[in-house]
Amino acid sequence: MTQNLADTSRPAAAPIAANASATRGWWRDAVIYQVYPRSFADSNGDGMGDLPGIRSRLPYLRDLGVDAVWLSPFYASPQADAGYDVADYRAVDPMFGTLLDADALIRDAHQLGLRIIVDLVPNHSSDQHEWFQRALREGPASPLRDRYHFRPGKGEAGELPPNDWESIFGGPAWTRTENPDSTPGDWYLHLFAPEQPDFNWENAAVADEFRSILRFWLDMGVDGFRIDVAHGMVKAPGLPDIGSGDQLQLLGNDVMPFFDQDGVHEIYRAWRKILDEYPGERIGVAEAWTPTVQRTANYVRADELHQAFNFQYLGAYWDATALREVIDVSLDSMRPVDAPTTWVLSNHDVTRHATRFGNLPGGTQIRTPGNREQGLRRARAATLLMLALPGSAYLYQGEELGLPDVTDLPDEVRQDPSFFRKAGQDGYRDGCRVPIPWSGTEAPYGFGPTPGGPSWLPQPAEWAQLSVEAQTGDPNSTLELYRSALAVRRAQPALGAGAEVTWLDSPEGTLTFRRDSAEGSFVCTVNTTAEPVTVIAPGTVLLSSAGSTEVTGAKAVLEADSTTWWEV
Ligand code: NOJ
C-alpha cells in the first residue's frame, strides 16, 4: 500500500507588487478559487457573507495553495440576481462592506501572494441603475434610451413583444414600460430577469463607460476580470426572430442572434489594450457559453482575453471516453491561438460536481442527491484529473470540502430569480450557494461569528463533519487531498502550463496519460469504472484520490472511480 505522500507544507508565496514584472504568463497555469461573497464568510453576523469576512479568510486560501481568487459581484445592487444586477459599478453594496474594505482586501491578498480577479457585468445593468431609471423617467424621447434596447411592441396597440426572444430565466425577454403619463409604452430587452435590462453596445457611451469602469478597478489594483455573459453584448442587427419553439435547448448549442456574435471580439480587442497598459499582466476571463470549444478559442486570441471557461469540459460526465474526447478537442482548439485551456468543474450556476457525478448523466442542473458516496469519490478523482491537465483551473468555494449541492432547500428560502419564473433554465442554483462550514458543531458552522446565528440559506446538519476544522489534519479528508494536490502541482515541473499530454494505452474505462519535462515525467491514471482495475504501475505514487493506491511488485490496482498521480 502506498499512502499519499505529498508534503503539504509549501514555501510562503511572494507578495505581489503592483509593478510585478517577473510574472510572465502567471495565468497560464494558475489555480483560481472562486469566492461567492454571500456565502464565504460573514464578519458581522447578519447572515450574509461580506468583504471583511473574505479578508479574514485569505490566509486559508494562501495555505490551500491557490494562486488567485475570483470574487463574484459585490457591487451596489438590489440583488434581484444575487448581485449580477449592478446599480453602481464603482460602489460596494453596503451588505458586503465599503470601497475601503475592497481596497484592504486587495492589498492583503497581494501581501499573501494571492491575485484578485473581480467580476464585471457588462451585458446588462440593474433596472435601478441611474441610466435606466432616467431613461424611464424621461420617456420615449430620452436619448438615454439608446443605451439600452427599447423598442415599440408589435400588434395593433404595441401589445406584443418586439420579437420572439425568450429570457434565459424563463418567459419573454421583453418587458413593457409605462410612459411618464401612465400610458403603456415601449418594451425593453432583458436576456435575464426583467430587473436586468441589456445594454446597447452599439451606443458609444456604453463602451466608454465600461472602459472607465475597467480602469477604476485596475487602478484599485485588481489583477483581472471575470467577464459575465461575455458572449452576449452584441446582438444581431435588427434583433431578428429566432422562430424556434424551444430556445432554451439551443442555448450553448447554436449561435443565437443574441449570443456569440462575432462583433463581441472588437470589444475584447479594445479591453486588451487597456489591460496591457497596466503592469503585472492583468487578465480577462470570459464566461462565454459557446456551441463548441473552437468558438470558445476565439475569445482568447492573442489580442483578446487571456482565459475562457471550458464549459464543454464542465458538462462532460464521469466517463473515460467522453473525458478523453473533450480533453483532446479542448487542447486541439486552444493550440492554434496559443492560449491555455481553462478547466472548471463547478461554479455558482451549476450543480456541484460531487452531486452531478452521484447521479446519472443529466446535464448541469441536478435536483436529486443521488449516491453521495459515489459522487464524492468521483468528484475527488475528477479534480485530480483536472489538476493534472495543462492549463489553468478554477475551483469553486466548498468543493475542496467535498460539499454536495443542497437539493432539499425549502421553496420559501430560495432566491434564484429563475426559480420564480418556473420556465427558466436553472432555477435551482441556490443549492450550490449555501454558506460554507468553517468550524464548530452548530450552524452556521463558523460562517458567521455566533453559533446559532443566521445564514441567508440554511446549512444541512451533516455539514458539521465537513467543516474546514473537522477536515484539517485528517489525511483522508477532501480538504487535505486538495491541499496535497495543489502542493504537488506546484512542485512537479511536468504539471501546470508546460508539457503536452501524451495518451498511453489503458484498459477500457480508464485513462492514462504522461507529461514529460526536462526535469522529470509525470503520469496520471484514471479509473472511471465501478470496479478496481489492475495495471502495470507506471512509477511511484504521488497522490491518490482514493487515499491510497495498492502497488505490488510491478502491478498497481486502480480503485473504482479514482485518479492516481505518479512520478516517473
Ligand atoms: C452568469 C452568472 O454567472 C449568473 O449567475 C447570472 O445569473 C447570469 N450570468 C446573468 O448575469
Side-chain angles (χ1 to χ4, degrees):
M1 222 20 115
T2 310
Q3 294 291 329
N4 284 340
L5 289 176
D7 172 10
T8 52
S9 62
R10 60 191 278 271
I16 291 163
N19 61 355
S21 56
T23 51
R24 283 206 62 73
W26 67 268
W27 42 275
R28 288 189 165 269
D29 59 3
V31 177
I32 301 179
Y33 182 101
Q34 180 188 356
V35 163
Y36 194 65
R38 291 174 150 242
S39 306
F40 192 64
D42 165 20
S43 73
N44 60 5
D46 64 356
M48 186 58 76
D50 47 45
L51 297 185
I54 299 169
R55 192 177 162 208
S56 73
R57 298 291 189 182
L58 288 174
Y60 165 77
L61 297 177
R62 189 261 328 263
D63 294 343
L64 181 61
V66 300
D67 301 290
V69 178
W70 150 35
L71 302 167
S72 278
F74 50 80
Y75 312 112
S77 161
Q79 303 289 319
D81 183 21
Y84 283 94
D85 49 319
V86 180
D88 183 345
Y89 290 83
R90 297 179 185 79
V92 172
D93 197 282
M95 87 186 199
F96 293 124
T98 64
L99 266 184
L100 282 178
D101 293 326
D103 180 63
L105 171 60
I106 296 165
R107 283 172 198 275
D108 276 15
H110 287 172
Q111 270 305 316
L112 293 170
L114 294 167
R115 289 185 163 81
I116 294 283
I117 291 172
V118 293
D119 223 301
L120 185 72
V121 190
N123 179 68
H124 44 263
S125 69
S126 159
D127 63 345
Q128 299 306 307
H129 191 285
E130 193 202 336
W131 286 5
F132 191 75
Q133 282 298 309
R134 276 181 56 199
L136 286 183
R137 268 201 314 274
E138 292 175 11
S142 170
L144 286 173
R145 290 211 169 191
D146 189 51
R147 296 179 184 184
Y148 295 91
H149 295 279
F150 282 88
R151 292 284 185 285
K154 285 185 176 162
E156 261 171 46
E159 73 282 9
L160 299 171
N163 71 16
D164 67 357
W165 296 1
E166 286 168 15
S167 152
I168 283 94
F169 291 163
W174 296 89
T175 291
R176 195 165 194 187
T177 62
E178 203 172 72
N179 288 321
D181 66 1
S182 300
T183 55
D186 287 343
W187 298 68
Y188 68 89
L189 176 69
H190 52 85
L191 293 180
F192 294 89
E195 295 88 351
Q196 294 168 294
D198 278 51
F199 281 118
N200 171 20
W201 272 83
E202 304 292 320
N203 184 297
V206 173
D208 282 351
E209 173 69 352
F210 273 92
R211 285 194 292 263
S212 156
I213 293 165
L214 282 177
R215 288 184 192 286
F216 178 86
W217 289 101
L218 289 166
D219 290 338
M220 286 270 291
V222 303
D223 301 283
F225 300 91
R226 175 268 189 188
I227 296 147
D228 188 63
V229 199
H231 54 319
M233 284 114 93
V234 173
K235 277 72 180 176
L239 314 184
D241 278 339
I242 293 171
S244 155
D246 195 357
Q247 292 177 24
L248 289 179
Q249 285 306 315
L250 297 177
L251 285 178
N253 298 317
D254 217 333
V255 179
M256 309 285 280
F258 48 76
F259 277 164
D260 202 26
Q261 294 288 308
D262 291 336
V264 291
H265 297 288
E266 280 311 312
I267 300 171
Y268 300 130
R269 291 195 184 100
W271 287 8
R272 179 59 182 260
K273 291 196 182 104
I274 297 175
L275 294 172
D276 285 349
E277 280 172 26
Y278 286 78
E281 290 192 79
R282 318 286 174 106
I283 68 161
V285 51
E287 188 233 5
W289 294 80
T290 67
T292 60
V293 196
Q294 286 87 347
R295 285 199 69 92
T296 303
N298 290 339
Y299 291 76
V300 287
R301 287 177 284 202
D303 57 348
E304 298 194 35
L305 300 173
H306 300 73
Q307 301 181 328
F309 294 112
N310 185 340
F311 291 126
Q312 276 78 10
Y313 183 73
L314 184 150
Y317 193 65
W318 181 242
D319 168 79
T321 312
L323 287 166
R324 177 161 174 177
E325 205 171 290
V326 72
I327 292 168
D328 277 339
V329 148
S330 304
L331 296 173
D332 289 348
S333 307
M334 294 297 153
R335 219 170 276 120
V337 292
D338 189 29
T341 306
T342 304
W343 310 102
V344 57
L345 285 165
S346 282
N347 65 32
H348 66 291
D349 288 331
V350 298
T351 303
R352 286 179 178 279
H353 61 288
T355 297
R356 289 205 310 276
F357 294 151
N359 278 276
L360 293 173
T364 56
Q365 302 295 323
I366 305 287
R367 294 167 193 180
T368 46
N371 180 335
R372 292 274 289 269
E373 215 179 292
Q374 180 195 54
L376 180 59
R377 217 169 42 234
R378 291 176 169 180
R380 290 164 56 108
T383 298
L384 279 205
L385 166 59
M386 172 173 81
L387 292 174
L389 294 170
S392 173
Y394 278 71
L395 309 178
Y396 175 51
Q397 66 174 45
E399 69 168 78
E400 79 278 22
L401 304 176
L403 295 187
D405 245 51
V406 182
T407 49
D408 59 355
L409 284 171
D411 288 357
E412 57 277 13
V413 304
R414 290 189 182 274
Q415 298 203 9
D416 184 344
S418 55
F419 179 76
F420 302 98
R421 293 169 69 85
K422 297 300 176 201
Q425 181 191 36
D426 44 11
Y428 289 82
R429 296 178 300 172
D430 291 313
C432 65
R433 299 175 176 179
V434 172
I436 66 171
W438 291 93
S439 58
T441 52
E442 194 180 346
Y445 310 115
F447 162 67
T450 327
S455 65
W456 72 279
L457 285 173
Q459 301 151 301
E462 316 86 79
W463 281 21
Q465 288 111 60
L466 295 178
S467 73
V468 171
E469 181 183 60
Q471 295 197 37
T472 294
D474 171 357
N476 295 318
S477 73
T478 302
L479 177 57
E480 293 300 349
L481 177 72
Y482 270 69
R483 286 177 172 153
S484 300
L486 294 173
V488 174
R489 185 179 151 104
R490 239 168 233 268
Q492 277 288 316
L495 285 182
E500 282 278 337
V501 160
T502 308
W503 295 104
L504 305 176
D505 285 344
S506 199
E508 202 182 325
T510 71
L511 296 171
T512 304
F513 64 85
R514 182 180 176 115
R515 300 188 62 196
D516 299 310
S517 80
E519 293 107 287
S521 294
F522 166 92
V523 167
C524 179
T525 52
V526 183
N527 178 7
T528 66
T529 75
E531 302 298 328
V533 176
T534 302
V535 296
I536 306 286
T540 316
V541 175
L542 284 166
L543 194 61
S544 167
S545 71
S548 63
T549 295
E550 196 181 313
V551 181
T552 320
K555 298 261 170 85
V557 180
L558 309 180
E559 291 300 325
D561 293 320
S562 74
T563 296
T564 308
W565 287 2
W566 308 82
E567 190 168 44
V568 183

